[in-house]
């Protein structure tokens, strides 16, 4: 039932408006200057006029004989006929490298560039969008950037203002840009990228972006017998056309023959030149479970197994999560209820948090914000309905700021069911998909930064049931949710963009399998695009699955 829908683009006509600006010489109040166009400057004062070579006060009896007037001779022997006048600056603006840019049909970070000059010195250049100040640049080359997505579809007018050191200013000509971006339009795609496999109720893996736009992906995988777990990691070119390298860590990678089951999203730490992948190490002898972090070099040259390993407990098979901590440290959840901050492979602190393992069913999920706080979700389904618990934890010392729980009706057969994230203003938002029996809608539950409830918004799923595998706020403050759209005859991956008020800006389903596609995870780039990872035609057994992993880049 997988479908791929395309949109249409509209092309609008561009128009420019010429604005001519001039500046006053504010360093000499009350002084008006005028250039006669032939190199002579006149200066007008109240009641008198001074012209080079003569002087007049309005009384003929006091007129000076030009033949007796004197000139000032500088030391170099040249003749000066009066002081030069400080001129206002000049400025020209281009948008996307053009004075009359073409319609923007794809989300992008659009450059604004100003060519400003002055006879003395430029102090600053201000850039404006529809009359509102965007940014100020005080050093040449004078430039700014503006992120434009489907949220900005309209005709936008840009202009810039140059100021010189005397605070004289000149406005550039207005440059108009038509924006016509289709939300969730597919830009790049790579199918059949990696063979994925793992636990059916907690498929691990995801994507990260490097500074150069390269895409790093990791997932759990099964061996040829489909009885043992390992992991695969790969780097793909920014346009998804080239597989740069692939690293496979087989089930017998560790000295004692441990299996490695990827259960979380990969973490990219470019400062350390490593891709870190969290999972569970299952010892072949004794059946003990350990929370394991595998480190893969960003050039694919090596894999360190394990980078870090904690715990040795037959009864604590959980789903470890991994997020970035302060100072390039990492935060690892697991084994059992242990939360650890790890530096150079060793714990900095360890604290008990939520006790969760596979016997509780459900899953766990972690995320971190720019301030270093951690959100740890735990879904337990030993009762009816299930219970979702959100913990907010400080990365500095592991202290819990608050926790809250709520009953939820979800369907665990849909792989992923939800996750929480920190909003730009510090609020916490939990997004999860209801079971089909409960209506199949997405619920957005919100708390303030202190854990006080702010209410719940419902996103209507129509005739299908929607799930949530990953959630993030984009650079424009909108909520992006990636999940699956599940119907009786199959499923597709589904991407939504929702306003903070709960308004659906757009929703799109797509997939690359023949019957069924499920979502895995996504990451946001700096150009207004989303790179999503999904699973095509997953074959699900009792507790494990096997599928083909795909990637797609789509416009916001």
């Amino acid at each position: 039932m997988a479908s791929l829908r395309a949109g249409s683009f509209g092309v609008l006509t561009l128009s420019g408006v010429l604005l001519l600006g001039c500046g006053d010489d504010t360093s000499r109040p009350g002084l008006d200057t005028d250039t006669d166009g032939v190199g002579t400057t006149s200066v007008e004062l109240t009641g008198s006029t001074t012209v080079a070579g003569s002087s007049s006060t309005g009384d003929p009896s006091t007129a000076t004989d030009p033949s007796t007037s004197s000139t000032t001779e500088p030391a170099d022997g040249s003749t000066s006929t009066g002081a030069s006048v400080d001129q206002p600056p000049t400025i020209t603006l281009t948008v996307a490298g053009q004075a009359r840019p073409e319609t923007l049909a794809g989300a992008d970070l659009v450059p604004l560039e100003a060519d400003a000059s002055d006879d003395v010195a430029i102090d600053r250049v201000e850039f404006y969008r529809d009359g509102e100040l965007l940014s100020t640049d005080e050093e040449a080359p004078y430039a700014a950037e503006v992120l434009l997505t489907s949220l900005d579809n309209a005709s936008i007018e840009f202009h810039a203002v140059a100021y010189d050191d005397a605070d004289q200013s000149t406005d550039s000509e207005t440059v108009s840009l038509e924006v016509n971006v289709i939300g969730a339009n597919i830009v790049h795609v790579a199918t059949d990228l990696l063979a994925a496999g793992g636990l059916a109720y907690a498929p691990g893996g995801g994507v990260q972006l490097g500074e150069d736009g390269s895409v790093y992906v990791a997932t759990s995988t099964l061996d040829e017998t489909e009885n043992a777990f390992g992991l695969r990691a790969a780097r793909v070119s920014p346009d998804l056309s080239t597989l740069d390298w692939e690293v496979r860590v087989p089930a017998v990678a560790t000295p004692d023959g441990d299996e490695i089951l990827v259960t979380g999203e990969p973490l990219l730490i470019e400062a350390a030149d490593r891709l870190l992948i969290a999972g569970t190490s299952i010892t072949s002898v004794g059946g003990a479970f350990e929370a394991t972090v595998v480190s893969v070099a960003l050039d694919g040259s090596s894999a360190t197994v394990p980078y870090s390993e904690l715990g040795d407990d037959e009864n604590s098979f959980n789903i470890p999560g991994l997020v970035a901590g302060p100072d390039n440290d990492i935060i690892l959840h697991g084994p059992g209820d242990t939360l650890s901050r790890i530096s150079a492979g060793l714990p900095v602190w360890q604290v008990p948090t939520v006790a969760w393992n596979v016997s509780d069913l459900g899953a766990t999920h972690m995320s971190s914000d720019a301030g270093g706080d951690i959100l740890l979700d735990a879904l337990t389904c030993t009762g009816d309905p299930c219970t979702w618990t959100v913990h907010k934890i400080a990365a500095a010392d592991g202290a819990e700021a608050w926790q809250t729980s709520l009953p939820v009706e979800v369907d665990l057969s849909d792989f992923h069911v939800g996750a929480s994230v920190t909003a730009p203003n510090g609020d916490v938002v939990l997004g999860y998909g209801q079971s089909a029996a409960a209506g199949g809608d997405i619920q957005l539950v919100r708390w303030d930064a202190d854990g006080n409830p702010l209410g719940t918004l419902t996103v209507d799923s129509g005739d299908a049931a929607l799930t949530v595998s990953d959630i993030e706020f984009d650079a424009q403050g909108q909520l992006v949710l990636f999940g699956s759209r599940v119907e009786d005859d199959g499923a597709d991956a589904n991407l939504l963009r929702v306003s903070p008020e709960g308004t659906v800006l757009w929703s799109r389903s797509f997939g690359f399998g023949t019957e069924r596609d499920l979502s895995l995870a996504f990451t946001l780039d700096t150009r207004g695009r989303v790179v999503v990872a999904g699973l095509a035609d997953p074959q699900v057994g009792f507790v494990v699955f096997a599928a083909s992993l795909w990637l797609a880049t789509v416009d916001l």
Side-chain angles (χ1 to χ4, degrees), residues 419-430:
S420 64
V421 67
T422 303
N425 68 349
D427 290 352
V428 173
V429 178
L430 166 66

Side-chain angles (χ1 to χ4, degrees), residues 35-375:
T35 301
D36 62 13
V38 293
T40 305
T41 303
S42 62
V43 181
E44 182 177 354
L45 299 171
T46 304
S48 65
T49 302
T50 301
V51 181
S54 65
S55 174
S56 173
T57 61
D59 183 354
S61 65
T62 63
T64 302
D65 184 351
S67 64
T68 64
S69 65
S70 63
T71 60
T72 302
E73 296 186 1
D76 61 4
S78 61
T79 300
S80 173
T81 59
S84 62
V85 177
D86 186 8
Q87 298 297 314
T90 62
I91 184 170
T92 302
L93 176 67
T94 60
V95 176
Q98 303 175 35
R100 295 183 179 274
E102 298 177 353
T103 297
L104 184 69
D108 209 347
L109 194 61
V110 177
L112 312 179
E113 298 172 321
D115 183 7
S117 61
D118 187 66
D119 56 345
V120 179
I122 292 290
D123 178 70
R124 67 191 185 278
V125 173
E126 297 176 346
F127 294 90
Y128 290 83
R129 170 183 172 172
D130 290 334
E132 295 187 4
L133 180 65
L134 280 175
S135 63
T136 301
D137 196 348
E138 297 179 350
E139 295 183 0
Y142 304 103
E145 291 179 322
V146 57
L147 178 63
L148 298 175
T149 71
S150 59
L151 190 68
D152 305 286
N153 285 347
S155 178
I156 302 175
E157 292 189 340
F158 297 99
H159 81 278
V161 183
Y163 291 84
D164 65 12
D165 61 347
D167 211 31
Q168 298 181 107
S169 65
T170 300
D171 286 46
S172 74
E173 179 181 351
T174 297
V175 179
S176 297
L177 176 65
E178 296 288 343
V179 181
N180 185 23
V181 178
I182 297 176
N185 177 58
I186 295 178
V187 181
H188 307 300
V189 65
T191 59
D192 297 322
L193 188 63
L194 298 174
L199 291 181
Y201 53 84
V207 289
Q208 293 285 342
L209 292 180
E211 292 179 353
D212 63 353
S214 294
V215 180
Y216 296 88
V217 59
T219 180
S220 58
T221 188
L222 295 172
D223 68 0
E224 288 73 12
T225 67
E226 297 189 358
N227 291 318
F229 299 114
L231 70 85
R232 292 178 186 266
R235 186 178 71 192
V236 187
S237 61
D239 63 0
L240 307 185
S241 64
T242 304
L243 180 64
D244 295 334
W245 54 257
E246 177 184 353
V247 172
R248 180 176 180 181
V249 179
V252 292
T254 52
D256 57 0
D258 291 357
E259 297 179 44
I260 297 174
L261 174 64
V262 176
T263 54
E265 293 186 44
L267 176 62
L268 180 66
I269 302 184
E270 294 205 270
D273 194 36
R274 312 300 289 178
L275 180 71
L276 302 181
I277 306 163
T280 295
S281 176
I282 309 169
T283 59
S284 58
V285 179
F289 305 108
E290 297 172 316
T292 298
V293 178
V294 177
S295 173
V296 178
L298 295 189
D299 61 3
S301 61
S302 64
T304 303
V305 184
Y307 170 79
S308 181
E309 193 166 55
L310 301 175
D312 188 3
D313 188 348
E314 297 181 9
N315 301 312
S316 62
F317 182 16
N318 67 343
I319 308 295
L322 183 68
V323 296
D327 304 322
N328 287 322
D329 291 349
I330 61 175
I331 309 296
L332 175 67
H333 179 227
D337 65 352
T338 303
L339 187 71
S340 306
R341 176 174 170 178
I342 299 173
S343 178
L346 300 175
V348 175
W349 52 252
Q350 291 183 291
V351 296
T353 54
V354 57
W356 185 95
N357 60 58
V358 293
S359 63
D360 293 319
L361 303 179
T364 59
H365 178 271
M366 276 211 307
S367 65
S368 60
D369 62 21
D373 287 335
I374 302 160
L375 294 179

